[in-house]
């Protein structure tokens, strides 16, 4: 088994295209090409929270949205 180089989904070893994203896969250099281990392939299920930078970006985004909601609420309350 191989993994799609674009989306990380498992694909058959002889697949020319990924069944999930549909993108073409490069040809392997024969049957004795080394298979990728689980440590080398990032898990797409972990998403944004897989890295510390992702956690920081998500936290800042949540903070900005909360400020916008609070500000909008105060503007509506004071407008009456």
């Amino acid at each position: 088994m191989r993994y799609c180089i674009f989306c990380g989904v498992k694909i058959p070893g002889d697949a020319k295209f990924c069944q999930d994203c549909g993108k073409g896969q490069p040809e392997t250099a024969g049957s004795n090409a080394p298979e990728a281990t689980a440590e080398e392939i990032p898990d797409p299920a972990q998403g944004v929270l897989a890295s510390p930078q992702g956690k920081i970006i998500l936290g800042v985004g949540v903070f900005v949205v909360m400020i916008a909601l609070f500000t909008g609420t105060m503007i509506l309350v004071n407008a009456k």
Side-chain angles (χ1 to χ4, degrees):
M1 292 295 281
R2 298 189 311 174
Y3 293 88
C4 173
I5 62 170
F6 297 101
C7 68
V9 174
K10 283 186 181 182
I11 57 174
D14 58 347
K16 295 187 187 279
F17 296 94
C18 174
Q19 293 92 350
D20 194 54
C21 69
K23 295 188 179 179
Q25 303 298 307
E27 293 292 325
T28 57
S31 61
N32 45 349
E35 291 262 341
T37 61
E39 292 91 27
E40 296 172 358
I41 300 169
D43 185 12
Q46 290 179 352
V48 173
L49 298 177
S51 67
Q53 294 89 357
K55 291 176 185 174
I56 292 170
I57 292 171
L58 183 63
V60 169
V62 168
F63 180 74
V64 168
V65 168
M66 289 177 65
I67 294 295
L69 289 173
F70 180 74
T71 304
T73 303
M74 289 295 111
I75 290 171
L76 290 175
V77 168
N78 291 330
K80 290 182 179 181

